[in-house]
Amino acid sequence: MRRLMNILRLGRKELWSLWRDPMMLVLIVYAFTASVYTAATAMPETLHNAPIAIVDEDQSPLSARIASAFYPPHFTRPRMITLGEMDTGMDNGEFTFALNIPPNFQRDVLAGRQPEIQLNIDATRMSQAFTGNGHVQQVVMGEIDEFVRRYRAPTELPVDLALRARFNPSLEKSWFGGIFEIINSVAMLSLILTGAALIREREHGTIEHLLVMPVTPGEIMISKIWSMGLVVLLASALSLVLVVRGLLQVPIEGSIPLFMCGAALCLYAMTSLGIYMATLARSMPQFGLLLMLTLMPLNVLSGGLTPRESMPELVQNVMLIAPTTHFVELGQAILFRGAGLDVVWKPFLALLVIGSVLFALSLKRFRRTISQMA
């Protein structure tokens, strides 16, 4: 009971220290509000309002039909220009695509010849250039095919392919951006808050005060873990309910309490890792450099941005020891697919094992650091 009271009092001290740190409070509020909202809404379609210009040297019904096939939201209204204006406009960045329809194009098409259409692309706009290249070709070839057949009707195929998008029927990208940002913020802040709390005590000299008190290194470490973890857990729950479900109108299929249990296990592992990193760093700048080396691989290779199946097998196997890999797996399963504990028990167990190992390593390192300071 005495040890439990020590842990509670030390944790309350950590919460009070955090409350008196305005920069950390601003970071927490921003990470779970504005950052989540912008991550969801700042993900427009890859091909959205792409500027296009058309040089119509044919002035035929077919060329007019091709020009009218480009319209918002994928493209802006086509800008009709002359051949002399095409290179100048591309150099000035006025449009991404410039389509040149040569003279006698319709006559050559109806005669069975193979006329060429020149498509100029501003490749400095990489995402639009890559996606728009195939889209423009598809639009042009579709209009030519329908013009030659003289009627607009789908081609009869021997197989009818019925497409059904599950969990996100409208393929809305904001659904994924907001939830992944919460997962990312949980991992980031759990490292920052626990590591900064330990380094702040070392820099302010309060760690020496703790050494003369009747508390053990384990009690000090557990108090930092539960207090900082509680702050991140409450902030993520509020963000999930108020920002994702309320403001962004993203439907949550699964159980939020079950997701919070998974988040608590992830916090258990990540806060332990944050303390371990804080014992390695001598100052906040060093800790910041360690964060850059740690957070970037965890975010990029955990499976949230790209599927793990598309990564090299070696990377997939190595990332199995990362807590964020299993947290992303259970988060997507619960929040998107409505999975229960019978489905996500494996990532839960993996987080418990990884967290226990990280806690043991961090406690050993923390005790060694404390003994050296004593």
Side-chain angles (χ1 to χ4, degrees):
M1 183 61 66
R2 183 181 61 83
R3 290 186 175 182
L4 181 60
M5 293 303 298
N6 289 339
I7 293 173
L8 292 176
R9 291 191 181 99
L10 290 173
R12 186 173 60 183
K13 178 189 71 70
E14 296 296 335
L15 294 175
W16 180 249
S17 299
L18 179 62
W19 179 255
R20 297 177 63 182
D21 191 340
M23 293 305 299
M24 284 296 179
L25 293 177
V26 170
L27 176 62
I28 294 172
V29 173
Y30 172 80
F32 286 104
T33 54
S35 180
V36 174
Y37 183 81
T38 54
T41 56
M43 296 180 63
E45 296 292 333
T46 305
L47 192 64
H48 183 73
N49 284 336
I52 183 172
I54 297 179
V55 180
D56 188 1
E57 297 183 284
D58 191 29
Q59 298 294 327
S60 64
L62 177 56
S63 63
R65 180 171 179 163
I66 293 175
S68 64
F70 298 97
Y71 46 82
H74 295 301
F75 298 92
T76 59
R77 292 292 180 184
R79 176 180 169 185
M80 309 306 296
I81 61 175
T82 63
L83 184 61
E85 297 173 327
M86 184 173 63
D87 290 340
T88 304
M90 293 290 291
D91 293 339
N92 295 335
E94 298 177 8
F95 32 80
T96 305
F97 304 97
L99 190 67
N100 183 12
I101 304 176
N104 303 321
F105 177 72
Q106 177 177 310
R107 185 187 66 183
D108 293 339
V109 169
L110 295 177
R113 304 187 185 94
Q114 295 182 346
E116 295 181 353
I117 295 183
Q118 184 184 67
L119 176 62
N120 297 278
I121 304 175
D122 182 1
T124 59
R125 302 172 180 176
M126 294 181 58
S127 59
Q128 286 191 342
F130 181 78
T131 306
N133 176 28
H135 196 85
V136 171
Q137 294 184 48
Q138 183 179 4
V139 169
V140 172
M141 296 307 297
E143 294 299 325
I144 294 174
D145 181 61
E146 290 176 356
F147 182 82
V148 172
R149 289 190 288 115
R150 290 182 171 81
Y151 67 93
R152 185 184 296 269
T155 303
E156 294 294 335
L157 299 176
V159 177
D160 184 18
L161 181 62
L163 300 178
R164 294 183 177 89
R166 299 188 62 186
F167 315 118
N168 187 2
S170 59
L171 301 179
E172 181 62 40
K173 289 186 177 182
S174 64
W175 291 15
F176 301 99
I179 291 179
F180 177 72
E181 186 63 22
I182 290 181
I183 295 175
N184 182 28
S185 297
V186 168
M188 177 186 69
L189 287 178
S190 56
L191 287 176
I192 293 177
L193 293 181
T194 51
L198 181 58
I199 294 179
R200 182 171 54 238
E201 287 191 347
R202 182 189 301 163
E203 291 180 344
H204 294 173
T206 56
I207 191 68
E208 285 80 2
H209 298 168
L210 294 176
L211 294 178
V212 299
M213 295 176 63
V215 293
T216 64
E219 294 172 357
I220 298 175
M221 180 174 166
I222 295 175
S223 66
K224 295 183 182 299
I225 289 178
W226 82 257
S227 58
M228 297 299 101
L230 179 63
V231 171
V232 177
L233 193 65
L234 291 177
S236 60
L238 291 175
S239 178
L240 192 61
V241 174
L242 300 179
V243 180
V244 174
R245 174 182 277 181
L247 187 60
L248 296 173
Q249 297 295 314
V250 178
I252 304 297
E253 296 293 336
S255 171
I256 293 181
L258 183 61
F259 173 74
M260 289 295 104
C261 292
L265 287 176
C266 181
L267 287 169
Y268 170 52
M270 296 300 291
T271 50
S272 300
L273 178 60
I275 291 179
Y276 186 87
M277 293 168 55
T279 59
L280 296 176
R282 298 297 179 183
S283 62
M284 283 300 295
Q286 290 185 7
F287 183 69
L289 292 176
L290 287 178
L291 281 177
M292 294 176 58
L293 297 176
T294 305
L295 285 177
M296 293 181 64
L298 290 179
N299 294 339
V300 175
L301 304 177
S302 60
L305 294 176
T306 56
R308 294 184 63 249
E309 293 77 11
S310 63
M311 303 177 188
E313 185 176 356
L314 177 61
V315 176
Q316 296 183 38
N317 296 332
V318 170
M319 289 304 295
L320 288 177
I321 64 176
T324 51
T325 299
H326 306 283
F327 186 41
V328 169
E329 180 183 352
L330 68 88
Q332 291 177 342
I334 295 174
L335 299 178
F336 292 144
R337 300 190 291 272
L341 186 59
D342 57 329
V343 176
V344 297
W345 67 270
K346 288 184 178 179
F348 268 72
L349 181 60
L351 282 175
L352 180 60
V353 173
I354 295 173
S356 300
V357 172
L358 289 174
F359 180 84
L361 294 175
S362 301
L363 181 57
K364 182 180 179 180
R365 174 75 185 180
F366 185 63
R367 283 174 175 169
R368 183 186 308 169
T369 304
I370 291 295
S371 62
Q372 291 175 355
M373 295 182 63

